């Protein structure tokens, strides 16, 4: 048994490494090469957008492909660039724009990991006769009594399990995450020791295909209806202002409303409570109006040993990537999966993810889903 939990010696174990051109995936490739594995580097060409390709902090574009090739040459492994632009546009960019049209706040990284990076790249790895696909994600894969399990990274500041909840059991069987037990400082130190040209390269920032963080312009170009103007109304239906497209708003937002705070109850500020895409309305209200006791989730991926049933399961959940874990219960209600919080949550936005962890230690990822609506049966 080698260090990747594969019953073959490293020299006979082929590992495809997804190389984005950043320091994490580069160290992953170098580390596995040093350990004697048969390493093949693969970089995905996901988009060709001039401003994005030249912007520091982007990934999977021009400069990053060049960086990945340099690293592969430095450590002496074959390197291939695969054109996945059409798949990325259909599964990630178009889905991102469509979600905003529906009044949702999507997480494109989740869609990318679930489809292009894992579903499609895993298929390519198998075509290359690989035994495993390794990535530079900060998350752990461990062997459990019922198969591979997904767990949070050792370094809580770098943990990426929130973005990988959509990984299926079949995908986990072949995936490996060598950095899950390391800190970022350790990864940087390894990059220096290996003499990698990306050792000091900044981490990727924001959404990779969005130049300068202006996601609204990307959505506007693809789906102009998302920037059609409409009314800002309070929870009683009274018009209190105008907006220039629901794409500019998300549930829980306070800034950018351009409303007189004195219009709020007891001179309190307004918050975005709901987006009504059909009416092109932004619904605002008090902070108290943001409180939600339960949510419905869809496109659920379940990795737990016990299935979700009507009796419910005590769990911990995370509704935003940086949020502390919260106690909740997940249960099946008819054809729906409902998450009920022990204490109300504020600013729950449809389109975001609810990621579910075990209640005991909160280390194991049990699954998750896309938030559909709040207060099941009422919203």
């Amino acid at each position: 048994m080698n260090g990747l939990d594969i019953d073959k010696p490293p020299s006979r174990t082929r590992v495809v490494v997804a190389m984005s051109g950043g320091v994490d995936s580069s160290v992953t490739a170098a580390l596995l090469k040093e350990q004697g594995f048969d390493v093949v580097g693969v970089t995905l060409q996901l988009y060709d957008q001039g401003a994005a390709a030249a912007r520091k902090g982007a990934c999977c574009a021009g400069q990053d492909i060049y960086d990945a090739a340099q690293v592969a040459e430095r450590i002496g492994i074959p390197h291939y660039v695969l054109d996945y632009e059409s798949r990325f546009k259909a599964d990630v960019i178009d889905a991102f724009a469509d979600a905003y049209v529906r009044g949702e706040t999507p997480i494109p990284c989740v869609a990318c990991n679930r489809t292009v990076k894992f579903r499609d790249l895993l298929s390519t790895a198998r075509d290359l006769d690989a035994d495993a696909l390794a990535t530079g994600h900060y998350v752990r894969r461990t062997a459990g009594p019922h198969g591979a399990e997904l767990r949070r990274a050792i370094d809580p500041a770098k943990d990426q399990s929130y973005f990988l909840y959509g990984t299926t059991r079949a995908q986990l069987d072949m995936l490996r995450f060598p950095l899950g037990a390391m800190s970022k400082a350790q990864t940087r130190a390894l990059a220096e020791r290996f003499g990698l040209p990306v050792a000091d390269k900044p981490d990727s920032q924001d959404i990779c295909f969005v130049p300068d963080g202006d996601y609204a312009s990307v959505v506007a170009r693809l789906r102009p209806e998302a920037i059609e103007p409409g009314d800002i109304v309070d929870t009683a239906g009274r018009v209190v202002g105008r907006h220039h497209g629901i794409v500019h708003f998300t549930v829980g937002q306070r800034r950018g409303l351009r409303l007189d705070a004195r219009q709020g109850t007891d001179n309190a500020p307004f918050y975005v409570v709901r987006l009504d895409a059909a009416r092109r309305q932004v619904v605002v209200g008090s902070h108290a109006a943001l409180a939600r006791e339960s949510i419905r989730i869809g496109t659920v991926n379940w990795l737990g040993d016990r299935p979700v049933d009507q009796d419910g399961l005590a769990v911990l959940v995370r509704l935003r990537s940086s949020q502390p874990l919260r106690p909740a219960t997940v249960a099946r209600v008819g054809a729906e999966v409902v998450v009920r919080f022990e204490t109300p949550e504020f600013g729950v936005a449809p389109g975001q993810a609810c990621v579910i962890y075990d209640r005991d230690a909160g280390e194991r990822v049990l699954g998750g889903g896309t938030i559909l609506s709040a207060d099941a049966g009422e919203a």
Side-chain angles (χ1 to χ4, degrees):
M1 192 76 69
N2 60 41
L4 291 184
D5 191 28
I6 297 173
D7 195 17
K8 293 170 63 175
S11 61
R12 294 173 51 200
T13 303
R14 175 167 293 176
V15 183
V16 168
V17 177
M19 300 181 67
S20 67
V23 64
D24 296 327
S25 60
S26 296
V27 167
T28 298
L31 190 62
L32 294 176
K33 173 67 175 179
E34 182 182 63
Q35 294 172 353
F37 291 97
D38 176 13
V39 179
V40 177
V42 172
T43 301
L44 304 181
Q45 168 68 47
L46 298 182
Y47 56 92
D48 184 11
Q49 201 167 316
R55 180 171 61 91
K56 290 183 179 180
C59 74
C60 310
Q63 180 62 46
D64 302 288
I65 292 172
Y66 174 75
D67 289 343
Q70 273 198 314
V71 169
E73 182 178 5
R74 172 72 179 82
I75 64 178
I77 64 169
H79 177 250
Y80 302 97
V81 178
L82 305 181
D83 183 357
Y84 274 23
E85 282 193 46
S86 60
R87 307 180 197 200
F88 186 73
K89 183 178 185 301
D91 290 328
V92 181
I93 298 179
D94 285 348
F96 174 81
D98 288 340
Y100 272 106
V101 172
R102 295 192 299 269
E104 299 171 0
T105 306
I107 310 176
C109 293
V110 170
C112 184
N113 289 329
R114 183 169 49 208
T115 58
V116 175
K117 286 187 178 176
F118 287 169
R119 181 197 66 197
D120 296 342
L121 186 52
L122 271 170
S123 177
T124 297
R126 293 187 183 97
D127 291 341
L128 293 171
D129 294 323
D131 298 286
L133 170 65
T135 78
H137 288 104
Y138 287 87
V139 69
R140 290 178 294 149
R141 174 196 182 276
T142 61
H146 301 283
E149 298 178 355
L150 187 65
R151 295 181 179 273
R152 289 195 290 158
I154 292 295
D155 184 352
K158 295 302 295 181
D159 174 54
Q160 293 174 295
S161 61
Y162 179 85
F163 300 101
L164 297 176
Y165 79 86
T167 307
T168 66
R169 285 186 179 274
Q171 291 169 344
L172 270 182
D173 285 342
M174 195 170 178
L175 283 166
R176 299 296 187 275
F177 309 103
L179 305 187
M182 296 185 190
S183 67
K184 186 69 179 193
Q186 289 174 311
T187 300
R188 291 281 185 191
L190 283 173
E192 292 284 353
R193 180 167 72 77
F194 289 130
L196 302 183
V198 296
D200 296 324
K201 186 174 181 178
D203 290 340
S204 59
Q205 302 291 328
D206 302 318
I207 301 171
C208 67
F209 58 89
V210 179
D212 303 320
D214 186 8
Y215 68 90
S217 66
V218 174
V219 176
R221 187 180 72 251
L222 296 171
R223 304 290 187 270
E225 59 269 34
I227 60 168
E228 292 180 1
D231 291 329
I232 300 176
V233 302
D234 65 16
T235 51
R238 294 184 292 261
V239 176
V240 295
R242 292 282 290 175
H243 67 79
H244 299 289
I246 61 173
V247 68
H248 299 288
F249 302 91
T250 187
V251 172
Q253 180 176 334
R254 174 182 172 183
R255 297 183 178 179
L257 295 177
R258 299 178 182 175
L259 299 176
D260 187 344
R262 290 173 298 178
Q263 294 180 82
T265 304
D266 298 327
N267 293 325
F270 277 127
Y271 294 82
V272 176
V273 174
R274 187 173 69 254
L275 297 176
D276 188 334
R279 295 184 174 88
R280 298 198 303 275
Q281 288 183 341
V282 174
V283 182
V284 298
S286 67
H287 184 264
L290 291 171
R292 297 292 182 267
E293 296 182 355
S294 66
I295 57 173
R296 294 186 303 115
I297 59 175
T299 320
V300 176
N301 181 58
W302 191 247
L303 297 171
D305 300 329
R306 171 188 163 184
V308 177
D309 57 28
Q310 62 184 8
D311 294 331
L313 180 65
V315 297
L316 296 173
V317 299
R318 177 171 282 159
L319 304 180
R320 289 174 290 278
S321 62
S322 59
Q323 180 192 49
L325 295 174
R326 313 284 200 193
T329 300
V330 58
R332 187 168 294 279
V333 180
E336 300 182 341
V337 174
V338 175
V339 178
R340 294 187 175 90
F341 311 118
E342 287 195 2
T343 58
E345 290 291 328
F346 293 80
V348 181
Q352 293 283 287
C354 174
V355 182
I356 303 167
Y357 299 80
D358 72 284
R359 175 66 75 95
D360 292 338
E363 293 293 328
R364 183 181 174 188
V365 180
L366 299 181
T370 303
I371 297 171
L372 300 178
S373 69
D375 291 327
E378 299 173 16

